[in-house]
Amino acid sequence: MRLLALILAFLAAFPALAQTREGPLRIEINRGVIEPLPFAIAPFVAENAGAGQWAEQITRVVAADLSGTGLFREIDRGAFISSVSDFNAPVRYADWKAINAEALVTGAVRVDGNRVTVKFRLYDVFADAPLGDGLQFAGDTSGWRRMAHKVADEVYSRITGEGGYFDSRVVYVSEAGPKDARLKRLAIMDYDGANNQFLTDASAIVLAPRISPTGDRVLYTSYETGFPQIFELNVGSSARRPLGVQGDTMTFAPRYGPDGRTVVYSLTDGGNTDIYRLDTATGARQRLTSAPSIETAPSFSPDGSQIVFESDRSGSQQLYIMPATGGEARRISFGQGRYGTPVWSPRGDLIAFTKQNQGRFHIGVMRTDGSDERLLTASFLDEGPTWSPNGRVIMFTRETAGEGGQPALFSVDISGRNLRRVPVAGAASDPAWSPLLP
Amino acid sequence: MVWGWYISGAAHALLIIALVFGGVFSRPPEEPVTISDVEIISEAEFAALALRTPAPEAVEEPSAPPPPAPEEAAPDTPAPDTPLPEISESAAPEAETPEAAPEVTIPDPTPEAEVEDTPPVVASPDPAPEGPLFEAPPQRAPRVAPTPAPAPPETADIAPDAAPEIAAAPDAPPEDIAEDTPETAPEEAAPELATEADEPTETLALATSPRPRPRPARPAPEPEPETRETAAAPAEPDRPEPAAPATDDAVAEALAEATAPSGDPGPPLTGAERDNLRIAVRDCWNVGSLSTAAKETVVTVFVSLDRDGRPDTGSIRMVGFREGTEATARQAFEAARRAIIRCGNNGFPLPVEKYEQWREIEMTFNLDGVSF
């Protein structure tokens, strides 16, 4: 029995011993701070005599891209302790730590004739190490902005872990004139409002442009025949053609499928609006809904297997999801108010929508099963969301109230932060964000 | 009495006769057993047979699901239009015909030779001690400073601390038990809510654990002459009472001595001290620039600190992660590392007299309640 008591005593002691064998102290951090990451961008080094102008401009565009996300905060150059005069010179991390720069971007520009070369490096200052390898882009001097966007995309991606969206374009409706006699025309610009160009004239009202997955074609609705009709426009040649024409029916709300060949749209015939699917290569058409209610605003899921759309089949305007070939639809919106213009995120995880409730308009997002609805904006009139290529930012139309109310383009992070106006000259509406350019 | 013998003898005789001649226990005739032949085939032959055998599911595979209702309505729609001819450019706007939209020549995205991928030599006056003490995980490899760094001082610190403890506890079983005892017991017990009052009770558990001690209050059974009762009952009433407590006390004391730290590392961190550390780290844990997926990834990061509470940057490594991918974990780890380095630059607010308690820390960064 003594032996038994000895063993029992040892076993009783053993758990305590086991507990004390673990080494480090363990704590859990359950909360952080949400603030822009401070970064420093040293003026890009001009490697030859003609590169000075380009170096400064490219530096400013990169900095503006990053700061414009709301995720980064540029440290003013006046606070710099070190200067970077040689792209290959060692980085004095202590100097950048002293000004609390968590990331450092250095670069160099060289211009040979009409060809500009941009290279950059990104450093994790507090890790005393580069963040990824150096990269270099080369191209025509007329494309210097795209090269700056490429650099910013790469920096953004390396820090956040998700793709960038700076080297992309936006098609929208440029508006002019009073509200009761508004002139509308299609235009295209860089995501930041630069390089603005018109795609159509103002002879007919145009609505709801949608850009193809390859970025070279645009679907839109035009009233040039007196009633709404879908057209497809080639961005490069400006050639266009009507799509889905069926007698005197009205066609509208088109959107490309992920293959760029399939188009879904709404068609109103005999007072009933349903969703159709069109193969633009063969002209084959398929009716996807046949309810007596109004079904419109279809949007493909990124994998092309499902379509989200709006319908008033339940008595109020709500969001539904159905298979891409048609079939039984599943309602996903159940909140108060009316839901419309759903758009599937490029990442496939969220659906953006317009919501009208109690006299206010909202841009919101929800998961594809309708859960976690979050309203990002609220104003007199917000509508028509479109996703950035990385699914992180939403651009939409905001119109101010009153006689002189004008529509404008705004963007907002899906967290609801960083709401800002897109710099577009004049009134603008119906943005459609392109994929990232190749 | 005699009749009883007679009856018993007769009954036994009948029973023996019945057994011998009645066939009561005889086995029923055995049915012939069919034995199937077993043929030994080679593995290759079996594989060939398996390939030739069609899967039953494939035969039973249901036909394709019926087409959805809208497809049935397709005939109602007119025949597919033939591709319409493109409208001539004359219908297009007159002056605003844009230049080719992608007017920018696509830059070569691949890095060219003139950019050196190898980073320049770090000119920092204080090269970060890299971690020979701790093996860096594979994903950290690109992050490690390119220049080799001297060994961190912690390597030298651990050995001297451990040696005296072993020497002061000669009866201790393994040395690592005595070495690690003071650091983790409170953590394992209650990492979040343990109070200072609760933690010492665990360390005293060894001294109070002997169980027979309360038993003396139990009334002793009276000695009975029947030996059957003593055989059925446990022998503890006969056990001399003082012996067991004395043995247990000795065992407990020996174990307590073995587990007691010889270097007096001090009491464990109080809840307030841990909260101070948490607050100090979280104030620098900037998650604003993380992707939504990285925010949802929980990473555990190891760091060793010097006596001033400053982190050894070379020791910072990711211990593990969950609810994410390698890529999102790397992003989350980098944010955590920045937080540790930034806010630990001047030393975390930790009591120096308890250095043994917080010399090495594993911090789990877990953002609760992030929707997207």
Side-chain angles (χ1 to χ4, degrees), chain A residues 112-394:
Chain A
D112 297 307
N114 202 30
R115 182 178 176 82
V116 60
T117 303
V118 182
K119 48 191 175 185
F120 83 98
R121 284 197 183 99
L122 174 65
Y123 298 90
D124 186 340
V125 173
F126 283 90
D128 292 353
L131 197 52
D133 298 331
L135 272 183
Q136 173 173 299
F137 303 96
D140 193 89
T141 50
S142 62
W144 67 270
R145 287 187 63 88
R146 280 202 61 192
M147 282 181 276
H149 290 322
K150 287 284 188 193
V151 171
D153 275 330
E154 191 66 26
V155 172
Y156 178 95
S157 178
R158 291 183 186 184
I159 295 179
T160 66
E162 57 191 5
Y165 60 88
F166 308 123
D167 188 23
S168 60
R169 312 200 78 184
V170 174
V171 177
Y172 68 100
V173 175
S174 175
E175 302 190 15
K179 273 190 172 182
D180 54 352
R182 191 67 57 90
L183 300 177
K184 299 187 176 185
R185 59 203 307 197
L186 291 186
I188 189 170
M189 64 180 183
D190 292 353
Y191 97 98
D192 57 358
N195 291 329
N196 196 15
Q197 296 174 323
F198 292 109
L199 297 175
T200 65
D201 60 14
S203 60
I205 293 177
V206 291
L207 297 173
R210 306 286 180 242
I211 199 161
S212 70
T214 51
D216 58 345
R217 289 167 293 141
V218 174
L219 289 171
Y220 66 100
T221 304
S222 173
Y223 279 78
E224 68 184 53
T225 60
F227 55 89
Q229 191 174 3
I230 299 172
F231 286 81
E232 183 181 52
L233 182 141
N234 187 304
V235 176
S237 66
S238 294
R240 60 198 179 100
R241 60 169 180 160
L243 288 180
V245 175
Q246 183 181 332
D248 292 336
T249 58
M250 295 187 293
T251 55
F252 52 96
R255 198 178 289 272
Y256 284 103
D259 60 0
R261 170 174 164 167
T262 305
V263 171
V264 286
Y265 61 97
S266 294
L267 185 148
T268 300
D269 188 11
N272 184 29
T273 300
D274 278 307
I275 295 174
Y276 287 73
R277 174 185 178 126
L278 175 70
D279 187 329
T280 57
T282 65
R285 180 169 29 216
Q286 178 187 1
R287 185 173 182 173
L288 300 181
T289 63
S290 57
S293 50
I294 296 175
E295 278 77 36
T296 187
S299 173
F300 275 102
S301 61
D303 63 359
S305 65
Q306 299 179 89
I307 292 174
V308 60
F309 63 98
E310 65 175 68
S311 171
D312 61 357
R313 62 181 63 183
S314 64
S316 66
Q317 191 175 310
Q318 300 293 338
L319 304 185
Y320 295 80
I321 289 179
M322 67 177 172
T325 54
E328 185 176 356
R330 169 171 51 94
R331 179 174 168 178
I332 61 169
S333 64
F334 294 94
Q336 292 185 342
R338 295 190 294 171
Y339 296 78
T341 63
V343 191
W344 214 302
S345 161
R347 295 198 293 213
D349 55 345
L350 298 175
I351 291 174
F353 57 85
T354 302
K355 181 174 183 177
Q356 184 184 7
N357 187 32
Q358 297 179 342
R360 301 278 284 174
F361 279 79
H362 309 270
I363 299 297
V365 292
M366 63 171 64
R367 297 195 186 275
T368 56
D369 60 358
S371 63
D372 288 343
E373 176 181 325
R374 173 188 290 188
L375 300 181
L376 307 179
T377 71
S379 81
F380 167 72
L381 178 57
D382 287 348
E383 62 179 356
T386 180
W387 288 95
S388 64
N390 65 351
R392 177 69 191 240
V393 181
I394 293 174

Side-chain angles (χ1 to χ4, degrees), chain A residues 2-166:
Chain A
R2 290 178 182 173
L3 180 62
L4 178 63
L6 190 68
I7 294 173
L8 290 175
F10 183 79
L11 292 177
F14 187 76
L17 294 177
Q19 283 185 346
T20 59
R21 290 192 57 155
E22 300 296 329
L25 173 69
R26 292 187 175 86
I27 65 170
E28 183 157 335
I29 315 295
N30 295 104
R31 198 186 312 169
V33 295
I34 298 177
E35 60 185 14
L37 184 143
F39 75 100
I41 179 167
F44 282 16
V45 178
E47 292 193 328
N48 58 3
Q53 171 195 358
W54 305 107
E56 177 59 23
Q57 288 179 330
I58 289 172
T59 305
R60 295 323 314 152
V61 170
V62 173
D65 282 347
L66 296 174
S67 299
T69 64
L71 306 180
F72 305 94
R73 175 176 57 83
E74 182 188 8
I75 297 176
D76 188 80
R77 289 182 190 177
F80 289 3
I81 299 173
S82 288
S83 62
V84 177
S85 56
D86 181 358
F87 180 65
N88 292 316
V91 171
R92 302 181 62 86
Y93 289 110
D95 290 349
W96 301 103
K97 286 179 189 173
I99 61 173
N100 202 28
E102 295 190 29
L104 169 67
V105 182
T106 65
V109 178
R110 181 178 185 85
V111 177
D112 297 307
N114 202 30
R115 182 178 176 82
V116 60
T117 303
V118 182
K119 48 191 175 185
F120 83 98
R121 284 197 183 99
L122 174 65
Y123 298 90
D124 186 340
V125 173
F126 283 90
D128 292 353
L131 197 52
D133 298 331
L135 272 183
Q136 173 173 299
F137 303 96
D140 193 89
T141 50
S142 62
W144 67 270
R145 287 187 63 88
R146 280 202 61 192
M147 282 181 276
H149 290 322
K150 287 284 188 193
V151 171
D153 275 330
E154 191 66 26
V155 172
Y156 178 95
S157 178
R158 291 183 186 184
I159 295 179
T160 66
E162 57 191 5
Y165 60 88
F166 308 123

Side-chain angles (χ1 to χ4, degrees), chain B residues 14-371:
Chain B
L14 289 174
L15 178 61
I16 292 170
I17 291 170
L19 290 176
V20 173
F21 301 103
V24 174
F25 295 106
S26 63
R27 297 175 60 183
E30 295 182 352
E31 296 180 357
V33 178
T34 58
I35 301 174
S36 60
D37 294 334
V38 177
E39 183 182 357
I40 299 175
I41 62 174
S42 67
E43 185 178 353
E45 290 170 339
F46 176 77
L49 287 173
L51 285 176
R52 283 200 301 269
T53 304
E57 290 78 7
V59 176
E60 298 295 330
E61 189 172 74
S63 58
E71 285 190 353
E72 296 173 0
D76 295 339
T77 62
D81 294 342
T82 56
L84 295 174
E86 292 188 351
I87 296 176
S88 64
E89 186 54 31
S90 59
E94 58 285 359
E96 289 77 10
T97 300
E99 301 172 4
E103 74 285 352
V104 177
T105 56
I106 300 170
D108 183 5
T110 58
E112 294 183 5
E114 51 262 40
V115 176
E116 297 177 4
D117 291 342
T118 55
V121 177
V122 176
S124 172
D126 302 321
E130 292 304 317
L133 179 59
F134 310 103
E135 290 185 8
Q139 61 270 24
R140 276 201 69 239
R143 300 277 180 269
V144 176
T147 55
E154 279 70 12
T155 308
D157 290 340
I158 290 176
D161 290 344
E165 290 175 358
I166 296 170
D171 296 335
E175 59 199 48
D176 54 345
I177 293 179
E179 179 184 356
D180 294 334
T181 295
E183 293 193 3
T184 55
E187 286 300 313
E188 292 289 338
E192 193 69 28
L193 299 176
T195 63
E196 192 75 355
D198 294 333
E199 291 164 356
T201 58
E202 277 197 291
T203 57
L204 295 176
L206 294 176
T208 58
S209 63
R211 286 157 290 171
R213 200 172 294 175
R215 293 290 179 84
R218 187 177 173 181
E222 295 181 6
E224 291 290 332
E226 288 84 8
T227 56
R228 285 173 296 180
E229 288 189 8
T230 57
E236 66 178 68
D238 297 334
R239 188 176 57 193
E241 288 292 332
T247 303
D248 294 338
D249 285 344
V251 171
E253 287 174 8
L255 290 172
E257 285 181 9
T259 55
S262 59
D264 190 17
L269 293 180
T270 66
E273 289 164 344
R274 293 185 194 187
D275 285 343
N276 288 340
L277 176 60
R278 278 194 202 95
I279 293 171
V281 175
R282 84 182 189 198
D283 284 349
C284 288
W285 185 29
N286 185 4
V287 297
S289 62
L290 288 181
S291 67
T292 51
K295 284 177 185 170
E296 293 173 349
T297 304
V298 179
V299 293
T300 300
V301 179
F302 174 90
V303 60
S304 62
L305 308 177
D306 64 15
R307 287 188 175 274
D308 295 328
R310 280 192 284 263
D312 172 11
T313 57
S315 72
I316 301 175
R317 59 183 168 87
M318 181 164 60
V319 175
F321 70 93
R322 54 187 168 89
E323 298 174 14
T325 64
E326 289 280 350
T328 60
R330 188 174 65 251
Q331 302 298 329
F333 165 68
E334 287 169 357
R337 181 174 57 184
R338 283 194 290 267
I340 294 171
I341 296 175
R342 278 180 59 208
C343 278
N345 200 28
N346 295 324
F348 288 113
L350 291 164
V352 68
E353 67 274 13
K354 300 178 182 178
Y355 176 59
E356 291 302 319
Q357 303 283 350
W358 48 262
R359 185 178 62 190
E360 296 177 339
I361 306 178
E362 278 187 9
M363 301 181 185
T364 299
F365 293 80
N366 181 8
L367 268 185
D368 287 336
V370 176
S371 299

